[in-house]
Amino acid sequence: MNHRCVHRWSFSSWGGPLDLQETPLEPPSGREVTLRVTDCGICHSDLHIQAGGFDMGGGKLSSLERAGTRLPVTMGHEIGGEVVEIGPEVTGVSVGDRVIAYPWLGCGECAVCARGDEQLCTKVARNLGIQLPGGYADLVRVPHERYLVPIGKLDPAHAATFACAGITAWGAIRKLSPATAEDWIAMVGCGGVGMTAVALLSATSPAKIVAIDPDPAKREAALANGASAAFDPTAPDALKTIARACAQNIAGALDFVGAESSASLAANLVRRSGEVVIVGLFGGEFRIPLPMFPLKSLTIRGSYVAGLHDLRELVALAQKIDLPKIPLDRRPLATVNQALADLAAGKVVGRVVLQP
Ligand SMILES: [Zn+2]
Ligand SMILES: [Zn+2]
């Protein structure tokens, strides 16, 4: 007999609105765990998931459906909650534990998963909030206890954002070479992830940060979170102005937008031997003269969320040092459709966290 129901905000057609759906939930088996969701961050990629895919440039779209994602979809991959049920084989967590869930599940067995990068699994994607039901719900079933990270005394709403915004920022920062106090690092795009990166880098690196965003409120928030300078990329002569303000010494640029304009700005801003990490999934494509690679000894690479070990590292870091907090906008779960619309319209500073 089903002993309880889960209430999920799900969409049943690609691009369609989210509706409240009630579904029976079997008791957990094996090493499964059920969380009562207390907080779930809204990620910009939820807009792409809801739309059904990403713009790959040249009019091409990736398709979640072709990749095997089935409707209805319950989004929400920044999940914080309390353990309320454990399977009979669970030993590492107990009912009542406050945790966040690592959502980027792979097969757990291939060579890439074995080295700790389940988010890049070569066999399957079983992500919470995409292929498996996510945190826009009152309860979430997590397939194995090892995906849970205890948060101790951390604010659960803030810690929930670590599962995507946090580790995406942390994973991208970790791809940069070590910097000195003379080096500048450019953060292109200061939404939830970019703002988290500003806060994390300022807490862990001597480098100076230049924040780049067209929105004055986001530039203001970035300065409050540790950036030394902030610029509007749409201003005339932005490239020259920014490069000069940073003494032509931008060692790395993180592109949290992932659009033609942002990636091209990042590649042109960095000094010789500079490193560009593309993180954002806005979409499109960009052209770059090939001689730039050898002449500048330029590195352009990508970064996609991060591994479970990165999440554990980030939670440990947050417990040790007082990370500047990205602005959180807490809203009731039932207002999820409005929150997604606000995010799409660029009306969100920092992160919206939904609370059932
Ligand atoms: Zn995300
Ligand atoms: Zn795998």
Side-chain angles (χ1 to χ4, degrees), residues 39-41 43 45 76-80 99-105 119 127-128 147-149 151 156-170 193 196 304-308 310-312 314-315 351:
D39 303 271
C40 189
C43 176
S45 65
H77 52 257
E78 293 186 339
I79 306 163
V99 297
I100 55 176
Y102 177 79
W104 312 110
L105 281 53
Q119 80 280 13
N127 304 310
L128 297 174
Y147 299 114
L148 301 176
V149 182
I151 58 168
H158 190 246
T161 69
F162 290 175
C164 185
I167 57 169
T168 297
W170 186 236
V193 179
T196 303
Y304 178 64
V305 291
L308 176 56
D310 294 294
L311 183 58
R312 294 191 187 283
L314 183 55
V315 169
R351 209 70 164 170

Short mmCIF file of all heavy atoms in Angstrom, two decimals, residues 39-41 43 45 76-80 99-105 119 127-128 147-149 151 156-170 193 196 304-308 310-312 314-315 351:
data_model
loop_
_atom_site.label_atom_id
_atom_site.label_comp_id
_atom_site.label_asym_id
_atom_site.label_seq_id
_atom_site.Cartn_x
_atom_site.Cartn_y
_atom_site.Cartn_z
N ASP A 39 13.96 23.88 0.78
CA ASP A 39 14.40 24.97 -0.10
C ASP A 39 14.80 24.38 -1.44
O ASP A 39 15.43 23.33 -1.49
CB ASP A 39 15.63 25.66 0.51
CG ASP A 39 15.36 26.18 1.91
OD1 ASP A 39 14.91 27.32 2.03
OD2 ASP A 39 15.58 25.41 2.87
N CYS A 40 14.45 25.07 -2.52
CA CYS A 40 14.92 24.63 -3.83
C CYS A 40 15.19 25.86 -4.70
O CYS A 40 14.29 26.65 -4.97
CB CYS A 40 13.90 23.71 -4.49
SG CYS A 40 14.57 22.96 -5.99
N GLY A 41 16.44 26.01 -5.11
CA GLY A 41 16.82 27.15 -5.93
C GLY A 41 16.30 27.00 -7.35
O GLY A 41 16.16 25.89 -7.86
N CYS A 43 17.21 27.69 -11.16
CA CYS A 43 18.41 27.89 -11.96
C CYS A 43 18.01 28.40 -13.33
O CYS A 43 16.96 28.05 -13.85
CB CYS A 43 19.11 26.55 -12.09
SG CYS A 43 20.54 26.59 -13.14
N SER A 45 19.12 27.44 -16.04
CA SER A 45 18.98 26.34 -17.00
C SER A 45 17.59 25.70 -16.92
O SER A 45 17.19 24.99 -17.84
CB SER A 45 20.09 25.30 -16.81
OG SER A 45 19.98 24.68 -15.58
N GLY A 76 14.01 21.42 -10.69
CA GLY A 76 14.51 21.76 -9.36
C GLY A 76 15.70 20.89 -9.00
O GLY A 76 15.54 19.75 -8.57
N HIS A 77 16.92 21.43 -9.23
CA HIS A 77 18.11 20.63 -8.93
C HIS A 77 19.00 21.25 -7.86
O HIS A 77 20.11 20.82 -7.65
CB HIS A 77 18.90 20.34 -10.23
CG HIS A 77 19.21 21.56 -11.04
ND1 HIS A 77 18.52 21.90 -12.18
CD2 HIS A 77 20.14 22.53 -10.87
CE1 HIS A 77 19.03 23.02 -12.68
NE2 HIS A 77 20.01 23.42 -11.91
N GLU A 78 18.49 22.30 -7.19
CA GLU A 78 19.22 22.86 -6.04
C GLU A 78 18.38 22.60 -4.79
O GLU A 78 17.63 23.45 -4.34
CB GLU A 78 19.43 24.36 -6.23
CG GLU A 78 20.37 24.68 -7.38
CD GLU A 78 20.70 26.17 -7.49
OE1 GLU A 78 19.94 27.01 -6.97
OE2 GLU A 78 21.72 26.48 -8.09
N ILE A 79 18.53 21.38 -4.28
CA ILE A 79 17.58 20.87 -3.29
C ILE A 79 18.20 20.83 -1.90
O ILE A 79 19.23 20.19 -1.68
CB ILE A 79 17.13 19.44 -3.67
CG1 ILE A 79 16.58 19.42 -5.10
CG2 ILE A 79 16.11 18.92 -2.67
CD1 ILE A 79 16.50 18.03 -5.71
N GLY A 80 17.54 21.51 -0.97
CA GLY A 80 17.93 21.41 0.43
C GLY A 80 16.75 20.84 1.19
O GLY A 80 15.60 21.17 0.90
N VAL A 99 20.33 18.20 4.95
CA VAL A 99 21.27 17.90 3.87
C VAL A 99 20.93 18.70 2.62
O VAL A 99 19.84 19.27 2.49
CB VAL A 99 21.21 16.39 3.49
CG1 VAL A 99 21.64 15.51 4.65
CG2 VAL A 99 19.81 16.01 3.01
N ILE A 100 21.89 18.73 1.68
CA ILE A 100 21.58 19.09 0.31
C ILE A 100 21.86 17.86 -0.55
O ILE A 100 22.60 16.97 -0.14
CB ILE A 100 22.40 20.31 -0.19
CG1 ILE A 100 23.90 20.10 -0.01
CG2 ILE A 100 21.95 21.58 0.54
CD1 ILE A 100 24.75 21.23 -0.58
N ALA A 101 21.24 17.82 -1.73
CA ALA A 101 21.39 16.66 -2.60
C ALA A 101 22.26 17.02 -3.79
O ALA A 101 22.07 18.07 -4.41
CB ALA A 101 20.03 16.18 -3.09
N TYR A 102 23.24 16.15 -4.10
CA TYR A 102 23.99 16.30 -5.35
C TYR A 102 23.10 15.77 -6.46
O TYR A 102 22.69 14.59 -6.43
CB TYR A 102 25.30 15.49 -5.27
CG TYR A 102 26.09 15.53 -6.55
CD1 TYR A 102 26.86 16.65 -6.86
CD2 TYR A 102 26.05 14.48 -7.46
CE1 TYR A 102 27.58 16.70 -8.05
CE2 TYR A 102 26.76 14.53 -8.65
CZ TYR A 102 27.52 15.64 -8.94
OH TYR A 102 28.22 15.70 -10.12
N PRO A 103 22.75 16.63 -7.46
CA PRO A 103 21.72 16.21 -8.42
C PRO A 103 22.24 15.60 -9.72
O PRO A 103 21.44 15.10 -10.51
CB PRO A 103 21.01 17.53 -8.73
CG PRO A 103 22.09 18.57 -8.62
CD PRO A 103 23.07 18.07 -7.58
N TRP A 104 23.57 15.64 -9.96
CA TRP A 104 24.09 15.30 -11.30
C TRP A 104 24.52 13.85 -11.37
O TRP A 104 25.71 13.53 -11.42
CB TRP A 104 25.23 16.27 -11.67
CG TRP A 104 24.83 17.67 -11.40
CD1 TRP A 104 25.31 18.50 -10.43
CD2 TRP A 104 23.83 18.42 -12.09
NE1 TRP A 104 24.67 19.71 -10.47
CE2 TRP A 104 23.76 19.69 -11.49
CE3 TRP A 104 22.97 18.14 -13.17
CZ2 TRP A 104 22.86 20.68 -11.92
CZ3 TRP A 104 22.09 19.12 -13.59
CH2 TRP A 104 22.05 20.37 -12.97
N LEU A 105 23.53 12.95 -11.37
CA LEU A 105 23.81 11.53 -11.25
C LEU A 105 24.08 10.88 -12.60
O LEU A 105 23.34 11.11 -13.56
CB LEU A 105 22.60 10.83 -10.60
CG LEU A 105 22.44 10.94 -9.09
CD1 LEU A 105 22.48 12.37 -8.59
CD2 LEU A 105 21.16 10.28 -8.66
N GLN A 119 28.73 13.97 -13.38
CA GLN A 119 28.00 14.93 -14.22
C GLN A 119 28.38 14.78 -15.69
O GLN A 119 27.68 15.27 -16.56
CB GLN A 119 28.25 16.37 -13.73
CG GLN A 119 29.56 17.01 -14.15
CD GLN A 119 30.77 16.59 -13.33
OE1 GLN A 119 30.74 15.63 -12.57
NE2 GLN A 119 31.86 17.32 -13.48
N ASN A 127 19.78 12.90 -13.83
CA ASN A 127 19.85 14.10 -13.01
C ASN A 127 18.53 14.36 -12.28
O ASN A 127 17.46 14.26 -12.88
CB ASN A 127 20.18 15.30 -13.88
CG ASN A 127 21.47 15.09 -14.66
OD1 ASN A 127 22.48 14.71 -14.07
ND2 ASN A 127 21.44 15.31 -15.96
N LEU A 128 18.65 14.72 -11.01
CA LEU A 128 17.46 15.14 -10.27
C LEU A 128 17.00 16.48 -10.85
O LEU A 128 17.80 17.39 -11.02
CB LEU A 128 17.78 15.32 -8.78
CG LEU A 128 18.22 14.07 -8.01
CD1 LEU A 128 18.66 14.45 -6.59
CD2 LEU A 128 17.09 13.05 -7.95
N TYR A 147 24.69 10.59 -2.32
CA TYR A 147 24.50 11.87 -2.98
C TYR A 147 24.07 12.98 -2.02
O TYR A 147 23.80 14.09 -2.44
CB TYR A 147 23.46 11.74 -4.10
CG TYR A 147 23.88 10.76 -5.18
CD1 TYR A 147 23.19 9.58 -5.38
CD2 TYR A 147 24.99 11.04 -5.97
CE1 TYR A 147 23.58 8.67 -6.36
CE2 TYR A 147 25.40 10.14 -6.95
CZ TYR A 147 24.69 8.96 -7.14
OH TYR A 147 25.09 8.08 -8.11
N LEU A 148 23.98 12.65 -0.74
CA LEU A 148 23.55 13.64 0.25
C LEU A 148 24.76 14.22 0.96
O LEU A 148 25.67 13.50 1.35
CB LEU A 148 22.60 12.99 1.26
CG LEU A 148 21.35 12.37 0.64
CD1 LEU A 148 20.52 11.68 1.71
CD2 LEU A 148 20.52 13.44 -0.07
N VAL A 149 24.76 15.54 1.13
CA VAL A 149 25.85 16.21 1.82
C VAL A 149 25.26 16.95 3.03
O VAL A 149 24.43 17.84 2.86
CB VAL A 149 26.57 17.22 0.89
CG1 VAL A 149 27.73 17.89 1.62
CG2 VAL A 149 27.05 16.53 -0.38
N ILE A 151 24.75 19.60 5.91
CA ILE A 151 25.10 21.02 5.85
C ILE A 151 25.35 21.63 7.22
O ILE A 151 25.63 22.83 7.31
CB ILE A 151 24.00 21.84 5.12
CG1 ILE A 151 22.64 21.67 5.80
CG2 ILE A 151 23.94 21.43 3.66
CD1 ILE A 151 21.61 22.67 5.31
N PRO A 156 19.99 26.57 5.12
CA PRO A 156 19.64 25.60 4.08
C PRO A 156 19.29 26.24 2.73
O PRO A 156 19.58 25.66 1.68
CB PRO A 156 18.43 24.85 4.66
CG PRO A 156 17.97 25.64 5.83
CD PRO A 156 19.12 26.47 6.30
N ALA A 157 18.72 27.43 2.74
CA ALA A 157 18.37 28.08 1.47
C ALA A 157 19.65 28.44 0.71
O ALA A 157 19.76 28.27 -0.50
CB ALA A 157 17.54 29.33 1.72
N HIS A 158 20.63 28.92 1.46
CA HIS A 158 21.90 29.28 0.84
C HIS A 158 22.64 28.03 0.38
O HIS A 158 23.16 27.96 -0.74
CB HIS A 158 22.73 30.09 1.84
CG HIS A 158 23.94 30.71 1.24
ND1 HIS A 158 25.21 30.34 1.59
CD2 HIS A 158 24.06 31.65 0.28
CE1 HIS A 158 26.07 31.04 0.87
NE2 HIS A 158 25.40 31.84 0.07
N ALA A 159 22.67 27.01 1.25
CA ALA A 159 23.38 25.77 0.92
C ALA A 159 22.76 25.08 -0.29
O ALA A 159 23.47 24.47 -1.09
CB ALA A 159 23.40 24.84 2.13
N ALA A 160 21.44 25.17 -0.45
CA ALA A 160 20.78 24.52 -1.58
C ALA A 160 21.36 25.02 -2.90
O ALA A 160 21.54 24.24 -3.85
CB ALA A 160 19.27 24.77 -1.53
N THR A 161 21.70 26.30 -2.95
CA THR A 161 22.21 26.87 -4.21
C THR A 161 23.62 26.36 -4.54
O THR A 161 24.09 26.54 -5.65
CB THR A 161 22.24 28.42 -4.16
OG1 THR A 161 23.24 28.85 -3.24
CG2 THR A 161 20.90 28.98 -3.77
N PHE A 162 24.27 25.71 -3.59
CA PHE A 162 25.60 25.13 -3.86
C PHE A 162 25.52 24.01 -4.90
O PHE A 162 26.47 23.76 -5.63
CB PHE A 162 26.22 24.54 -2.59
CG PHE A 162 26.64 25.56 -1.58
CD1 PHE A 162 27.12 25.15 -0.34
CD2 PHE A 162 26.59 26.92 -1.84
CE1 PHE A 162 27.54 26.07 0.61
CE2 PHE A 162 26.99 27.85 -0.90
CZ PHE A 162 27.47 27.42 0.33
N ALA A 163 24.38 23.29 -4.96
CA ALA A 163 24.28 22.09 -5.79
C ALA A 163 24.38 22.39 -7.28
O ALA A 163 24.72 21.52 -8.07
CB ALA A 163 22.99 21.34 -5.49
N CYS A 164 24.07 23.64 -7.68
CA CYS A 164 24.28 23.99 -9.08
C CYS A 164 25.06 25.30 -9.19
O CYS A 164 26.19 25.31 -9.64
CB CYS A 164 22.98 24.07 -9.86
SG CYS A 164 23.26 24.38 -11.61
N ALA A 165 24.46 26.41 -8.73
CA ALA A 165 25.16 27.70 -8.84
C ALA A 165 26.52 27.60 -8.15
O ALA A 165 27.54 28.01 -8.71
CB ALA A 165 24.33 28.80 -8.20
N GLY A 166 26.55 27.05 -6.96
CA GLY A 166 27.78 26.98 -6.18
C GLY A 166 28.85 26.14 -6.85
O GLY A 166 29.97 26.61 -7.08
N ILE A 167 28.52 24.89 -7.20
CA ILE A 167 29.57 24.04 -7.78
C ILE A 167 29.89 24.42 -9.21
O ILE A 167 30.99 24.19 -9.67
CB ILE A 167 29.27 22.52 -7.67
CG1 ILE A 167 27.96 22.15 -8.32
CG2 ILE A 167 29.37 22.05 -6.24
CD1 ILE A 167 27.80 20.63 -8.47
N THR A 168 28.94 25.01 -9.92
CA THR A 168 29.25 25.49 -11.27
C THR A 168 30.30 26.59 -11.17
O THR A 168 31.29 26.60 -11.92
CB THR A 168 27.99 26.00 -11.97
OG1 THR A 168 27.08 24.91 -12.11
CG2 THR A 168 28.30 26.54 -13.36
N ALA A 169 30.10 27.50 -10.23
CA ALA A 169 31.07 28.58 -10.01
C ALA A 169 32.40 28.01 -9.52
O ALA A 169 33.47 28.35 -10.03
CB ALA A 169 30.51 29.57 -8.99
N TRP A 170 32.32 27.12 -8.55
CA TRP A 170 33.53 26.54 -7.94
C TRP A 170 34.30 25.71 -8.97
O TRP A 170 35.53 25.81 -9.08
CB TRP A 170 33.13 25.71 -6.73
CG TRP A 170 34.27 25.16 -5.91
CD1 TRP A 170 34.49 23.85 -5.61
CD2 TRP A 170 35.31 25.91 -5.28
NE1 TRP A 170 35.61 23.74 -4.83
CE2 TRP A 170 36.14 24.98 -4.61
CE3 TRP A 170 35.64 27.26 -5.22
CZ2 TRP A 170 37.27 25.36 -3.89
CZ3 TRP A 170 36.77 27.64 -4.50
CH2 TRP A 170 37.57 26.70 -3.85
N VAL A 193 24.97 32.40 -10.77
CA VAL A 193 26.23 31.66 -10.80
C VAL A 193 27.42 32.63 -10.80
O VAL A 193 28.38 32.46 -10.05
CB VAL A 193 26.30 30.73 -12.03
CG1 VAL A 193 27.62 29.98 -12.05
CG2 VAL A 193 25.14 29.74 -11.99
N THR A 196 27.92 34.12 -7.44
CA THR A 196 28.52 33.14 -6.53
C THR A 196 30.02 33.05 -6.80
O THR A 196 30.83 32.98 -5.87
CB THR A 196 27.87 31.76 -6.73
OG1 THR A 196 26.47 31.89 -6.51
CG2 THR A 196 28.43 30.74 -5.76
N TYR A 304 31.22 22.20 -16.91
CA TYR A 304 29.81 21.85 -16.72
C TYR A 304 29.57 21.38 -15.30
O TYR A 304 30.13 20.36 -14.89
CB TYR A 304 29.39 20.77 -17.72
CG TYR A 304 27.97 20.31 -17.56
CD1 TYR A 304 26.91 21.19 -17.78
CD2 TYR A 304 27.68 19.02 -17.15
CE1 TYR A 304 25.60 20.80 -17.60
CE2 TYR A 304 26.37 18.61 -16.97
CZ TYR A 304 25.34 19.50 -17.20
OH TYR A 304 24.04 19.10 -17.02
N VAL A 305 28.80 22.10 -14.54
CA VAL A 305 28.60 21.89 -13.10
C VAL A 305 29.89 21.37 -12.46
O VAL A 305 30.97 21.94 -12.70
CB VAL A 305 27.33 21.06 -12.77
CG1 VAL A 305 26.10 21.87 -13.08
CG2 VAL A 305 27.28 19.71 -13.45
N ALA A 306 29.86 20.32 -11.68
CA ALA A 306 31.08 19.78 -11.07
C ALA A 306 30.72 18.48 -10.38
O ALA A 306 29.55 18.10 -10.33
CB ALA A 306 31.68 20.79 -10.08
N GLY A 307 31.74 17.82 -9.83
CA GLY A 307 31.53 16.50 -9.23
C GLY A 307 31.05 16.57 -7.79
O GLY A 307 31.06 17.62 -7.15
N LEU A 308 30.64 15.40 -7.29
CA LEU A 308 30.18 15.28 -5.91
C LEU A 308 31.28 15.73 -4.93
O LEU A 308 31.00 16.38 -3.92
CB LEU A 308 29.78 13.81 -5.65
CG LEU A 308 29.36 13.40 -4.25
CD1 LEU A 308 28.19 14.23 -3.74
CD2 LEU A 308 28.98 11.91 -4.22
N ASP A 310 33.44 18.02 -5.43
CA ASP A 310 33.48 19.49 -5.43
C ASP A 310 32.39 20.05 -4.51
O ASP A 310 32.59 21.06 -3.84
CB ASP A 310 33.27 20.03 -6.85
CG ASP A 310 34.42 19.68 -7.77
OD1 ASP A 310 35.53 20.18 -7.53
OD2 ASP A 310 34.21 18.89 -8.70
N LEU A 311 31.23 19.39 -4.51
CA LEU A 311 30.14 19.85 -3.64
C LEU A 311 30.53 19.68 -2.17
O LEU A 311 30.32 20.58 -1.36
CB LEU A 311 28.85 19.09 -3.96
CG LEU A 311 27.61 19.55 -3.17
CD1 LEU A 311 27.33 21.03 -3.39
CD2 LEU A 311 26.38 18.73 -3.54
N ARG A 312 31.14 18.53 -1.86
CA ARG A 312 31.57 18.31 -0.46
C ARG A 312 32.62 19.35 -0.07
O ARG A 312 32.62 19.88 1.04
CB ARG A 312 32.14 16.90 -0.29
CG ARG A 312 31.09 15.81 -0.48
CD ARG A 312 31.59 14.44 -0.04
NE ARG A 312 30.64 13.39 -0.36
CZ ARG A 312 29.52 13.16 0.33
NH1 ARG A 312 29.25 13.88 1.41
NH2 ARG A 312 28.69 12.21 -0.03
N LEU A 314 33.02 22.35 -1.33
CA LEU A 314 32.40 23.67 -1.22
C LEU A 314 31.64 23.82 0.10
O LEU A 314 31.71 24.86 0.76
CB LEU A 314 31.46 23.87 -2.41
CG LEU A 314 30.76 25.22 -2.53
CD1 LEU A 314 31.76 26.37 -2.52
CD2 LEU A 314 29.92 25.26 -3.80
N VAL A 315 30.94 22.76 0.51
CA VAL A 315 30.21 22.81 1.78
C VAL A 315 31.21 22.95 2.94
O VAL A 315 31.01 23.73 3.87
CB VAL A 315 29.31 21.57 1.95
CG1 VAL A 315 28.77 21.47 3.38
CG2 VAL A 315 28.16 21.61 0.96
N ARG A 351 19.60 34.76 -6.47
CA ARG A 351 18.94 33.48 -6.68
C ARG A 351 17.55 33.46 -6.06
O ARG A 351 17.40 33.85 -4.90
CB ARG A 351 19.78 32.40 -5.98
CG ARG A 351 19.70 31.02 -6.61
CD ARG A 351 20.37 31.00 -7.93
NE ARG A 351 20.65 29.65 -8.42
CZ ARG A 351 21.07 29.43 -9.66
NH1 ARG A 351 21.25 30.43 -10.49
NH2 ARG A 351 21.32 28.20 -10.06
#
